[in-house]
Amino acid sequence: MIARCQVDYVGRLTAHLPMAQRLLLVKADGSVSVHSDDRAYKPLNWMSPPCWLIEDPDVWTVQNKAGEKLVITVDEVLHDSKHELGAEPGLVKDGVESHLQELLAEHVTTLGDGWSLVRREFPTAIGPVDLMCRDEAGKSVAVEIKRRGEIDGVEQLTRYLELLNRDPLLAPVSGVFAAQQIKPQARTLAEDRGIRCVVLDYDKLRGIEPDEYRLF
């Protein structure tokens, strides 16, 4: 609803929004929020669920279990509509780990001249390694890729390396921990375990021309 209204909050403290034109949102989860034109996504005031809304002719009263109230006094309704948004498919982020893996697999020489890709999602008994590669000397290298490199990712790669190095056909297997950003603690742990850290430039990876032959 878009309405000329005033808003009073009564609870642990009191707050007052004087009469003005505002956007009132009532969502399916029961939450009610009051917005203006100058605060981007952040509401001026709100009531989070669980709460309930009582609609009188010119007053909305929103109350929660703690007895806090949001009282919205409506002077004039400019627009009122209701829409079912349906199921939310979720946010699809550009630059997620799967896309980074795809880009790095295509441009594996980013990790070193003469490198080659053996396989993406190389299977192990405890889960797939993001990339299995061979370096310029033909030695096996396991590559773990993250958007943000943290200690958990280093631990994950360490477990893969321990398992892979038991295979005489692969050993010795070294490790590369690749991420768009690597936290200092993760870098320290990785380097202590002999794992090389590589910071990935996502924009640069996207801008590299593929190795496929093209007519134009």
Side-chain angles (χ1 to χ4, degrees), residues 34 56 68 85 112 115 150 168 195 198 211 215:
V34 182
D56 292 321
E68 298 170 312
L85 301 182
W115 281 49
E150 300 184 358
I195 294 171
V198 175
D211 295 331
L215 293 175

Side-chain angles (χ1 to χ4, degrees), residues 154 177 184-197:
V154 178
F177 188 53
Q185 302 93 326
R187 181 181 293 275
T188 299
L189 180 61
E191 292 175 349
D192 183 68
R193 295 180 176 179
I195 294 171
R196 175 186 164 204
C197 292

Side-chain angles (χ1 to χ4, degrees), residues 177-182 187 197-201:
F177 188 53
Q180 289 179 275
Q181 178 186 359
I182 300 177
R187 181 181 293 275
C197 292
V198 175
V199 176
L200 300 175
D201 186 333

Side-chain angles (χ1 to χ4, degrees), residues 10 26 42 64 83 90 105 110 132 162:
V10 181
V26 181
K42 188 175 182 179
N64 63 17
H83 303 276
T110 300
M132 179 61 74
E162 288 176 353

Side-chain angles (χ1 to χ4, degrees), residues 12-154:
R12 291 166 293 179
L13 48 81
T14 59
H16 174 72
L17 293 171
M19 193 69 69
Q21 291 184 19
R22 298 187 177 93
L23 170 66
L24 308 176
L25 292 180
V26 181
K27 296 200 297 182
D29 63 2
S31 63
V32 178
S33 57
V34 182
H35 298 260
S36 69
D37 246 354
D38 65 347
R39 295 291 184 95
Y41 66 91
K42 188 175 182 179
L44 297 166
N45 216 326
W46 68 93
M47 188 72 77
S48 300
C51 61
W52 58 92
L53 169 63
I54 300 172
E55 294 185 55
D56 292 321
D58 298 319
V59 178
W60 286 9
T61 303
V62 189
Q63 183 172 342
N64 63 17
K65 292 181 179 180
E68 298 170 312
K69 292 183 180 180
L70 198 63
V71 181
I72 304 170
T73 304
V74 179
D75 179 63
E76 180 184 6
V77 175
L78 304 175
H79 176 79
D80 187 8
S81 63
K82 180 178 181 180
H83 303 276
E84 297 289 339
L85 301 182
E88 171 55 49
L91 180 66
V92 178
K93 295 182 179 179
D94 190 22
V96 295
E97 289 170 16
S98 60
H99 195 201
L100 282 171
Q101 182 191 125
E102 179 182 341
L103 287 169
L104 194 56
E106 184 178 357
H107 307 293
V108 71
T109 52
T110 300
L111 299 175
D113 293 335
W115 281 49
S116 61
L117 177 69
V118 175
R119 179 173 173 174
R120 288 178 58 189
E121 299 289 334
F122 187 87
T124 77
I126 57 175
V129 177
D130 289 336
L131 301 181
M132 179 61 74
C133 303
R134 292 196 184 278
D135 64 15
E136 69 281 359
K139 294 182 178 180
S140 300
V141 185
V143 182
E144 183 65 25
I145 302 168
K146 301 291 184 186
R147 290 186 68 241
R148 177 177 296 178
E150 300 184 358
I151 286 177
D152 286 350
V154 178

